[in-house]
Amino acid sequence: MQIGSIQGRTIVALRFIGKDPNSPNTNSPTVWVDEADGSLVIQGWKLDDETTAAVNATAPIPDHETVLRIPARLAPFLREAMGDG
């Protein structure tokens, strides 16, 4: 994906890394790298209420943030995204 703009909106340069090969519908979780700053963009599963409560007990999740559950089997994609592939 290229950096550019469409109708005044900035488009980010995302490099696709991989999707969970064991996902039942092959749509998530997914990992990309933002080529502009090297940050990871991750699609994952929403947390259930019990997990959200456990996270909030440690430190509340700010309104502008979210927490995702990513399976361990995505570790190879995360290592690749971070340049350790």
Side-chain angles (χ1 to χ4, degrees):
M1 192 179 286
Q2 304 259 345
I3 293 179
S5 64
I6 295 176
Q7 298 176 349
R9 294 184 326 184
T10 300
I11 297 181
V12 185
L14 295 180
R15 179 170 45 98
F16 171 77
I17 300 297
K19 290 186 177 196
D20 180 354
N22 295 331
S23 176
N25 58 10
T26 66
N27 290 325
S28 71
T30 305
V31 178
W32 298 265
V33 173
D34 184 330
E35 295 289 6
D37 65 8
S39 62
L40 299 181
V41 176
I42 300 175
Q43 175 187 354
W45 300 310
K46 291 181 180 181
L47 300 180
D48 57 48
D49 291 339
E50 183 178 323
T51 305
T52 300
V55 169
N56 280 322
T58 303
I61 304 167
D63 289 340
H64 65 280
E65 295 183 6
T66 191
V67 177
L68 303 172
R69 181 178 294 277
I70 305 297
R73 62 185 172 265
L74 250 61
F77 295 126
L78 296 172
R79 284 192 288 276
E80 179 182 341
M82 299 305 297
D84 295 337

